[in-house]
Amino acid sequence: MSTLSLFAPAPGNALTLDEGLIALPGLALPYASALAQAVQDIVQEAPWRHMQVPSGHRMSAAQSSCGQLGWISDEQGYRYSPIDPQSGSAWPALPLVFIDLLAQIAEESGQGPFLPDTCLINYYDEQAHMSLHQDRNERDLQHPIVSVSLGREALFLWGGATRKDSVRTLRLRDGDVLVWWGPSRMNFHGIRRLEGPAHPLWGSGRVNLTFRRAG
Ligand code: MD3
Ligand code: FE
């Protein structure tokens, strides 16, 4: 009897890095200027803010959201909300370039079409990081999460199913797309720091888009 591999071969430029983790290096590069314009438009409507976490600490990464829902954290806890508490109105819609990019990601990853209802946008400056955590506030944890890295490189921390598991590092570069599903979807992860030179569009910062189906 032979053991079947759980690592299904993915088409095109897709690399399978782990069980449930597909990388599409540089896939978003052709969209760079349209993505930068779209993020600029979103943060005009829903400005960057440093949210508090329930412990009372302030996040070092600045955040915004678009889509039907947006990510909120405060002393009350973590949740998704259809209203941006800062403006009292709905979040900006997902811009067309995000939808176009998602369609290409679906095609290149070999995953089915993915219909997110939110995109969380994180902004990291020189000082920002994101501690090791799991993402578990989405209603149905079976849906994949798609992340898109823009701007300066970052050292990504990628752990396992429990906090005790060993943590590996992965350098996330401008335009890199990762699709997290299955077991990888629940893995601990974080951002240690930014690295490398400034970026022509984003300067010394880094932006990360995470597309989620949260509701
Ligand atoms: C693995 N963001 O927003 S992107 C987050 O670069 C978050 O801003 C980081 O972790 C960032 O929650 C990491 C890669 C990523 C995003 C979401 C994941 C990896 C993930 C959700 C589940 C598992
Ligand atoms: Fe996360």
Side-chain angles (χ1 to χ4, degrees):
M1 208 205 313
S2 69
T3 306
L4 293 172
S5 174
L6 293 171
F7 296 77
N13 302 321
L15 308 165
T16 299
L17 297 186
D18 202 346
E19 204 184 329
L21 171 53
I22 298 169
L24 298 156
L27 188 79
L29 285 175
Y31 301 84
S33 61
L35 290 170
Q37 184 62 57
V39 170
Q40 196 179 305
D41 292 347
I42 290 163
V43 299
Q44 203 140 325
E45 233 180 292
W48 298 121
R49 77 284 312 259
H50 293 271
M51 293 190 222
Q52 268 187 209
V53 291
S55 66
H57 290 100
R58 167 192 131 120
M59 296 273 299
S60 60
Q63 299 179 307
S64 184
S65 286
C66 62
Q68 290 145 254
L69 296 171
W71 172 251
I72 311 272
S73 82
D74 57 22
E75 45 292 308
Q76 248 79 269
Y78 300 103
R79 62 197 176 278
Y80 288 94
S81 166
I83 299 294
D84 174 359
Q86 204 161 277
S87 66
S89 35
W91 299 94
L94 287 174
L96 280 176
V97 60
F98 285 14
I99 309 288
D100 286 350
L101 176 59
L102 284 166
Q104 203 191 335
I105 292 168
E107 191 174 312
E108 304 279 338
S109 67
Q111 295 284 99
F114 173 51
L115 299 168
D117 54 17
T118 180
C119 176
L120 169 61
I121 311 175
N122 294 321
Y123 178 80
Y124 297 81
D125 68 11
E126 208 74 60
Q127 275 77 44
H129 72 282
M130 194 174 281
S131 305
L132 220 54
H133 67 279
Q134 285 175 302
D135 291 33
R136 48 189 325 152
N137 290 281
E138 298 74 30
R139 192 181 51 78
D140 179 353
L141 300 173
Q142 307 292 342
H143 293 298
I145 289 185
V146 170
S147 82
V148 179
S149 291
L150 302 172
R152 201 128 167 255
E153 286 177 20
L155 209 56
F156 175 67
L157 302 171
W158 172 30
T162 75
R163 212 173 257 289
K164 285 183 232 153
D165 289 324
S166 66
V167 175
R168 289 156 288 175
T169 57
L170 183 67
R171 201 177 304 274
L172 295 182
R173 296 187 169 86
D174 183 35
D176 285 353
V177 173
L178 296 168
V179 181
W180 313 81
W181 56 283
S184 287
R185 166 70 180 77
M186 293 320 294
N187 281 5
F188 279 86
H189 59 278
I191 292 287
R192 180 177 288 166
R193 60 165 178 270
L194 301 189
E195 295 205 320
H199 183 274
L201 278 175
W202 297 103
S204 58
R206 169 178 182 266
V207 166
N208 184 261
L209 313 175
T210 53
F211 294 97
R212 303 148 188 261
R213 178 124 178 200

